[in-house]
Amino acid sequence: MSFPELSGFNILANPTGPICNLNCTYCYYLEKEKIYPGTSSFKMTEQTLEVFTRKYIHEQPGPEVTFVWQGGEPSLLGLEYYKKALQFQQKYGSGKRIHNSFQTNGVLLNEEWCLFFKEHDFLIGISIDGPKELHDKYRLDKGGHGTFSKVMAAIELLKKHQVKFNTLTVINNINCDHPLEVYRFLKQIGSQYLQFIPIVEQVAEGVLPEGVVLLSPDYAGKTTLAPWSVSPLKFGKFLVAIFNEWVKKDVGRYFVQIFDATLANEAGVSPGICVFSERCGNALAVEHNGDLYSCDHYVYPEYKLGNIHSTSLKKVLLSDEQRQFGLNKYDSLPRQCKECDVYSYCKGECPKNRFLVSRTNEGGLNYLCEGYKLFFRHAKPYMKYMNNELLHQRSPAHVMNLKR
């Protein structure tokens, strides 16, 4: 499979770098600060922000551009910073339709933030891991206190001002045992668009010289699994339990990212998420100083592609290094994956999780393989039914009658 000259691409912006007002136990990004020793300010300057905005808009081949603001915690920069960002977007817009997505822990959101989001049609991704006892297990502030009440206050403000939002729920070794409690809670608080993100991290046996504990996917030394990582089989059962309720009464009312992606792959169209695509490489990350990396999960020195001040995005995206990064998503899979009966849904998932060995002793097997096989095999007949309804121009929600 060859790459086109330059297709649409996305850049996830980390304008605060790894700096955050929380200290979530499982966060893999906080220690990225060690990649930039001696840095006194992790804030994307207005100069870098302007260069990023201009290049991202002008080099995007399509008519639409989506800015995704993440971190760290992007709200730490204050509201005036994003007003300036919108000024730059207007200045360099070139007639393109521009969208903004803002991924936040919600702790700093207030009336003013929500009025701004509503006025400028921001889509907010807010992190919440379930009811209080599940959320507060790992999502802690700098003083070690739970953040549930502050996140819920933010969600109520978003709803009050009719700001579009979706929920990002990290599935860990604790909340994986409570699938329906988590799912029903998210529906109860008004989330119609749900993302379930399995947390899988390897920890070095001993701190590395750079002071880093969490590891690059390519690390060849001895590792152990971080204790908060979700069990593959439990993750699969988590998805199956929620799917069974969703397919019975929630199709067309609530939208679960992995379910939508699975149906898209069944229909032979883009799943809309890189982990379930055959190739990757068109979703870069830009750090506070303009450094460009292959992917948000690969912000490591060996995956740095250049700096936005000194290179074009087209050059980076079409570089041999980034092309190979994208091709490796399929090429590095073991034969066991390529011949799997649910490969068409899974596509090997994210390369960062591929650190197991296959039955034939090939490397590159995804840690979550067992769970994904359980879920995709369970969902397959329903996905085929829904796709058939789409092919006949009928609503896939008819599957709920089948399930009943």
Side-chain angles (χ1 to χ4, degrees), residues 278-294:
E278 189 165 68
R279 309 287 183 178
C280 61
N282 64 346
L284 307 178
V286 60
E287 286 296 304
H288 66 288
N289 66 342
D291 283 348
L292 294 160
Y293 291 87
S294 292

Side-chain angles (χ1 to χ4, degrees), residues 98 139 168 181 184 193 200 228 260 274 281 348 403:
I98 297 176
R139 297 197 65 81
L168 288 70
E181 186 178 354
R184 291 168 183 170
Y193 299 89
V200 178
W228 51 82
D260 289 347
C274 55
K403 180 64 177 174

Side-chain angles (χ1 to χ4, degrees), residues 306-324:
N307 188 283
I308 202 160
H309 286 281
S310 56
T311 188
S312 75
L313 297 174
K314 180 176 181 179
K315 183 178 179 180
V316 165
L317 285 157
L318 298 178
S319 67
D320 290 342
E321 294 88 348
Q322 189 63 4
R323 280 176 176 264
Q324 194 59 54

Side-chain angles (χ1 to χ4, degrees), residues 125-386:
I126 191 159
S127 297
I128 185 162
D129 287 355
K132 178 177 173 60
E133 64 276 11
L134 299 177
H135 177 91
D136 283 349
K137 175 65 179 178
Y138 290 129
R139 297 197 65 81
L140 309 173
D141 63 20
K142 297 295 186 182
H145 304 110
T147 58
F148 178 80
S149 60
K150 292 181 179 179
V151 178
M152 284 303 302
I155 289 173
E156 290 306 313
L157 280 174
L158 292 171
K159 291 194 291 185
K160 174 184 174 181
H161 293 282
Q162 299 181 314
V163 177
K164 296 180 296 185
F165 73 95
N166 56 38
T167 49
L168 288 70
T169 303
V170 173
I171 309 307
N172 53 65
N173 66 317
I174 303 296
N175 62 2
C176 68
D177 290 326
H178 306 275
L180 293 182
E181 186 178 354
V182 170
Y183 180 55
R184 291 168 183 170
F185 168 78
L186 295 174
K187 292 193 294 180
Q188 175 192 331
I189 65 173
S191 177
Q192 287 186 288
Y193 299 89
L194 297 77
Q195 296 182 39
F196 297 120
I197 306 164
I199 186 73
V200 178
E201 295 292 347
Q202 296 183 85
V203 179
E205 291 190 357
V207 179
L208 303 182
E210 302 84 1
V212 174
V213 175
L214 301 180
L215 302 168
S216 162
D218 298 333
Y219 180 71
K222 290 185 177 181
T223 67
T224 57
L225 199 64
W228 51 82
S229 297
V230 66
S231 150
L233 190 56
K234 285 188 175 184
F235 182 58
K237 290 179 177 179
F238 177 93
L239 294 175
V240 166
I242 292 174
F243 182 82
N244 284 343
E245 178 154 318
W246 176 82
V247 82
K248 185 186 296 183
K249 60 182 182 180
D250 289 336
V251 180
R253 297 176 59 228
Y254 295 93
F255 301 88
V256 180
Q257 186 184 58
I258 186 172
F259 302 167
D260 289 347
T262 307
L263 180 57
N265 273 330
E266 175 62 38
V269 299
S270 171
I273 175 174
C274 55
V275 296
F276 299 123
S277 300
E278 189 165 68
R279 309 287 183 178
C280 61
N282 64 346
L284 307 178
V286 60
E287 286 296 304
H288 66 288
N289 66 342
D291 283 348
L292 294 160
Y293 291 87
S294 292
C295 167
D296 181 43
H297 286 288
Y298 283 78
V299 178
Y300 296 95
E302 57 267 40
Y303 290 97
K304 180 181 170 182
L305 300 168
N307 188 283
I308 202 160
H309 286 281
S310 56
T311 188
S312 75
L313 297 174
K314 180 176 181 179
K315 183 178 179 180
V316 165
L317 285 157
L318 298 178
S319 67
D320 290 342
E321 294 88 348
Q322 189 63 4
R323 280 176 176 264
Q324 194 59 54
F325 179 84
L327 291 169
N328 281 345
K329 188 173 192 299
Y330 175 80
D331 294 347
S332 64
L333 282 171
R335 183 176 177 181
Q336 177 181 329
C337 290
K338 295 175 180 178
E339 295 178 352
C340 179
D341 60 306
V342 292
Y343 169 76
S344 61
Y345 296 149
C346 176
K347 305 293 177 66
E349 207 245 6
C350 185
K352 85 174 187 69
N353 294 330
R354 298 179 187 171
F355 51 84
L356 298 186
V357 176
S358 74
R359 290 190 299 266
T360 55
N361 209 34
E362 290 182 88
L365 183 67
N366 197 299
Y367 165 79
L368 294 167
C369 175
E370 184 181 19
Y372 279 124
K373 284 194 292 188
L374 178 71
F375 165 66
F376 288 128
R377 286 170 179 168
H378 177 79
K380 191 172 185 176
Y382 301 102
M383 293 298 170
K384 289 188 174 297
Y385 181 94
M386 286 190 284

